[in-house]
Amino acid sequence: IVFGDWSSDVCSSDLSAWFFANAMKDKGIKPRDCFRIDFDWELVKEALIFGIKTGAPGLIGVFTGLLILWIYLTNVPQYTTFSILAGLMSGISGFINWGGVSAPTPLLAESYLNGKKKLTQFYISQTWRYILFFQFLFLPTIVSVFTILPRFFIEFQMYNYMLAIPFFLPTLLRNLQQPLTSFADSIQLGTNHPTFLMYLRFTEEILKIVFIYLFVVVLALPSKYGIAAIIWILPCAEYPAILFKTITAYVYIHRKIVPLQINYYQTFLVPISSGVIVFGILQFVLDRKSTRLNSSHRIR
């Protein structure tokens, strides 16, 4: 069977090459030309430099991640336990980005590099719109799930997971900004501005170490305030560095690439208003359900 499939593929490829050769004969193109890569040194150099600029911060991120882990392990009691609890709640609050709006990097590159800045502005504004649309679509459901989590853990005797509940709000705050931060990186890549992005990501990694060292070692917040500080430090200690990078990136984009245009009605007002309405409906349904369950327990 395998030999038969292979033979049919070879025959069809040869036949296709014969038809292709006849069709392209007057243009001087032969089938073997399709398997030959022609490029000059300038193209190699451009691609190599672009790859170094976009890849180098990732290599630095490995080092900073290891250093941050060492700071946590040596200064936060029971770090591994709290890290698992924070990860559990981050997985639940992370459903806010379940819409999976992909950054239109190829579209940005095609429009901006061909001088169509108005089209680039449109892609950026529409991506913002859909990011917030899906976030406020899932946010009411996630918050409603959070309100019944304590009862869920108790009902299924998952008492050890009760400590994960305080991590909900910090991890939700951390997940809210993630699509917007990633999109700022995609805009700079798509519009061929990797140099500023490289410097910005280097600065972000340095600031992460500075703030975590400040909160954990210098101020010793976990030792002084215990779990009240840990629930915020683990998810959000890097938040000032991330906010600095995100805000600086959008300021640079607005001033150097294209002026940013936001449709406030479609981007903010409508998603937030609909999210509030959906949250109210879900809370009403959950309250009615809870009342019926309590009544049935009393009868029993």
Side-chain angles (χ1 to χ4, degrees), residues 54-69 71 174 178 181 185 196-213 237-246:
T54 56
L59 297 177
I60 300 298
V62 175
F63 170 75
T64 57
L66 182 61
L67 183 58
I68 290 170
L69 177 62
I71 293 174
R174 175 67 181 271
Q178 187 56 46
T181 301
D185 295 351
F196 184 79
L197 176 60
M198 178 183 67
Y199 292 143
L200 196 57
R201 291 179 65 184
F202 278 142
T203 306
E204 179 193 22
E205 295 299 327
I206 294 172
L207 288 177
K208 284 181 181 179
I209 297 175
V210 170
F211 280 109
I212 291 176
Y213 186 80
E238 303 172 356
Y239 212 67
I242 296 173
L243 286 180
F244 170 81
K245 172 195 170 184
T246 305

Side-chain angles (χ1 to χ4, degrees), residues 209-255:
I209 297 175
V210 170
F211 280 109
I212 291 176
Y213 186 80
L214 174 66
F215 295 147
V216 177
V217 180
V218 178
L219 299 178
L221 297 180
S223 300
K224 292 181 180 178
Y225 301 103
I227 191 173
I230 292 174
I231 61 175
W232 285 98
I233 288 176
L234 292 189
C236 298
E238 303 172 356
Y239 212 67
I242 296 173
L243 286 180
F244 170 81
K245 172 195 170 184
T246 305
I247 294 173
T248 304
Y250 280 116
V251 170
Y252 177 81
I253 292 167
H254 180 72
R255 293 182 178 180

Side-chain angles (χ1 to χ4, degrees), residues 18-35:
W18 183 78
F19 281 112
F20 178 82
N22 290 332
M24 304 302 292
K25 189 175 182 180
D26 58 337
K27 296 179 176 59
I29 299 177
K30 299 178 181 179
R32 67 169 177 266
D33 296 334
C34 298
F35 298 93

Side-chain angles (χ1 to χ4, degrees), residues 51-115:
I52 292 174
K53 289 179 179 179
T54 56
L59 297 177
I60 300 298
V62 175
F63 170 75
T64 57
L66 182 61
L67 183 58
I68 290 170
L69 177 62
W70 177 78
I71 293 174
Y72 278 138
L73 287 174
T74 54
N75 294 275
V76 178
Q78 299 297 321
Y79 166 73
T80 53
T81 300
F82 289 119
S83 178
I84 294 298
L85 294 173
L88 171 66
M89 199 52 60
S90 180
I92 296 174
S93 62
F95 278 108
I96 194 172
N97 296 321
W98 207 25
V101 179
S102 301
T105 308
L107 297 178
L108 294 173
E110 184 178 0
S111 58
Y112 182 83
L113 298 180
N114 285 285

